[in-house]
Amino acid sequence: MGAIGLSGVSKVFPDGTVAVNDVDLEIADGEFVVFVGPSGCGKTTLLRLISGLETLTSGQLRFDGQVINEVSPRERNMAMVFQNYALYPHMTVRQNIAFALRVRKFPQAEIDERVNEAARILDLGQLLERKPKQLSGGQRQRVAMGRAIVRHPGAFLLDEPLSNLDAKLRVQLRAELRRLHARLGVTTIHVTHDQVEAMTLGDRVAIFSHGALQQYDTPQALYRRPANIFVAGFIGSPAMNFVEATLEKNGSESTLSLGAARLAPGPSAVAANALDGVAGEKVLVGIRPEHLGWRYAEEGSHGALQARVELSELIEPEAHVSVSLTDSGIVVRTADEVTGDTPDEGATLAGDDGRFLTLRVPADEVPERGSLVDLVADADRVCLFDIASGNSL
């Protein structure tokens, strides 16, 4: 059994920095969970708290139903794989993998059996007599995984193990990690800042910001039903578009007013009764680039969200198209503006006359630069957020 539970876990460093803030989390036995978030969000510190390499300020940690707050790292039956491979350069692959077992004085026959088993699983059989300097980055990372596997731990703790690899090798090792987990069935926590890595690897994903857990759910739920503006803006590439709108209600029907344009959110976009009491107030409408289409504007057309095409980036087989809204009364926001975070490279482009919206369209359906287009949103896939709290409606 390898279930891991966290109740009110916090970590405050001596200088007053709050690295982890009151985190509650339950990880089932055999589950593959990913911790993801921007740099400095507390995900690695939380992993080190679970491993015992950092001490708790408050809260409770459980492993297999037992409280482990005071249990030493050595006795927690968890194996940690670091971002740095940390292999002994003077030892062969076989000796590196076997090192922890030799330190624990396992019988030589059992050491050989476990090392050979790990080598078969990780396809290292032909490399066992080589030194680390003779291996590629991907091979070194597999050796580091092998050193963890031979311990037969109750849980694997992986601290950004793929971040030092090139893009192609990262994709390859992502697939290998998933196959490895399917074969071993060991509870795994994987820390990364790469949202693609998180969404492709995790059974469930925990998203962190400023030490606090923002949402913990399946990748599909995070994408389709983000709990707040931070999660909505963090998940997805290009980032979600955010536009301020006024909510109008007529009986049971709801309409979003964006300047002269009107948008009726579909039945799948908003939970039942979620908009009660919000009529007449400003809300933030979130529309992912892939859920925003276009058609060339027709003369005299009314009620549509009209924009001018400013830039298109071809990334076969699709294109990212940036458009600026022609209605100056419409306020376009970025997730960073709403949450107060510093914009990063993925932030929505800003221009002198306001903000851009981004469309993600097939590469053979790109509008001409400078043309006027009417934007068409998938009404069932829009997300609505409270501007004051940032939470989903």
Side-chain angles (χ1 to χ4, degrees):
M1 297 292 289
I4 298 173
L6 291 77
S7 299
V9 169
S10 296
K11 174 64 179 181
V12 182
F13 287 106
D15 64 358
T17 301
V18 180
V20 177
N21 187 14
D22 195 25
V23 172
D24 295 320
L25 205 60
E26 295 294 334
I27 300 171
D29 178 39
E31 195 170 19
F32 196 123
V33 168
V34 179
F35 292 174
V36 66
S39 297
C41 71
K43 55 189 184 293
T44 294
T45 301
L46 184 58
L47 192 75
R48 290 173 64 85
L49 288 170
I50 294 170
S51 70
L53 297 178
E54 295 282 355
T55 56
L56 286 170
T57 300
S58 61
Q60 185 184 85
L61 284 167
R62 299 179 304 281
F63 186 49
D64 284 348
Q66 304 296 317
V67 177
I68 58 171
N69 288 25
E70 305 300 328
V71 177
S72 69
R74 181 187 179 98
E75 296 171 333
R76 292 192 182 191
N77 192 28
M78 299 176 181
M80 194 159 181
V81 178
F82 297 91
Q83 178 178 351
N84 188 326
Y85 318 123
L87 302 179
Y88 296 106
H90 63 287
M91 294 184 182
T92 63
V93 168
R94 181 186 298 277
Q95 292 168 335
N96 266 284
I97 294 175
F99 182 77
L101 303 181
R102 291 208 311 272
V103 169
R104 289 170 171 78
K105 302 189 184 304
F106 276 68
Q108 187 60 47
E110 185 172 357
I111 292 176
D112 292 340
E113 181 181 350
R114 291 196 183 192
V115 170
N116 291 334
E117 176 192 30
R120 284 195 301 273
I121 292 173
L122 297 168
D123 194 24
L124 293 171
Q126 305 300 316
L127 307 176
L128 288 175
E129 305 310 320
R130 293 189 186 181
K131 299 285 183 66
K133 66 180 180 180
Q134 299 172 293
L135 305 177
S136 68
Q139 290 169 337
R140 293 179 191 179
Q141 195 56 270
R142 292 210 299 272
V143 174
M145 285 297 302
R147 191 168 50 189
I149 289 172
V150 295
R151 293 177 52 190
H152 292 180
F156 289 121
L157 308 180
L158 313 180
D159 185 14
E160 302 204 44
L162 309 183
S163 60
N164 289 336
L165 307 178
D166 60 61
K168 184 177 180 179
L169 197 52
R170 284 174 72 110
V171 173
Q172 177 187 336
L173 285 190
R174 275 208 308 263
E176 289 187 14
L177 273 178
R178 212 58 181 97
R179 285 194 293 267
L180 181 63
H181 178 260
R183 180 170 181 174
L184 299 178
V186 177
T187 304
T188 302
I189 302 176
H190 179 100
V191 165
T192 181
H193 62 273
D194 185 336
Q195 59 156 303
V196 174
E197 203 169 289
M199 299 292 276
T200 54
L201 279 175
D203 296 324
R204 286 193 289 174
V205 177
I207 300 183
F208 293 89
S209 177
H210 300 297
L213 178 62
Q214 301 296 311
Q215 190 171 356
Y216 180 43
D217 215 324
T218 64
Q220 294 80 8
L222 295 175
Y223 176 80
R224 296 178 182 177
R225 298 182 297 279
N228 55 43
I229 292 170
F230 176 83
V231 175
F234 186 82
I235 295 298
S237 180
M240 180 180 277
N241 301 295
F242 295 100
V243 184
E244 286 189 11
T246 302
L247 179 69
E248 300 172 353
K249 293 202 72 175
N250 183 10
S252 61
E253 295 184 359
S254 301
T255 304
L256 296 166
S257 174
L258 300 91
R262 298 291 185 271
L263 173 66
S268 301
V270 185
N273 304 320
L275 302 183
D276 290 350
V278 191
E281 297 186 9
K282 290 283 189 181
V283 296
L284 204 61
V285 181
I287 312 172
R288 294 199 181 279
E290 52 270 34
H291 300 149
L292 195 58
W294 67 275
R295 59 174 179 256
Y296 283 116
E298 297 179 3
E299 188 174 348
S301 62
H302 298 286
L305 194 60
Q306 197 170 86
R308 186 177 302 280
V309 178
E310 303 287 351
L311 175 70
S312 60
E313 298 175 303
L314 287 176
I315 311 171
E316 294 286 359
E318 63 184 29
H320 299 166
V321 180
S322 294
V323 300
S324 58
L325 296 178
T326 57
D327 188 337
S328 59
I330 300 178
V331 179
V332 179
R333 308 284 293 277
T334 68
D336 296 315
E337 288 176 329
V338 180
T339 60
D341 290 330
T342 303
D344 56 25
E345 294 178 359
T348 309
L349 293 175
D352 293 335
D353 57 345
R355 293 289 191 271
F356 284 79
L357 297 182
T358 302
L359 287 68
R360 184 177 178 181
V361 301
D364 56 356
E365 298 179 11
V366 179
E368 294 181 8
R369 185 174 182 179
S371 60
L372 284 177
V373 295
D374 290 337
L375 303 182
V376 182
D378 184 340
D380 268 338
R381 303 305 292 270
V382 300
C383 298
L384 302 183
F385 303 92
D386 178 78
I387 291 181
S389 67
N391 294 329
S392 172
L393 294 172

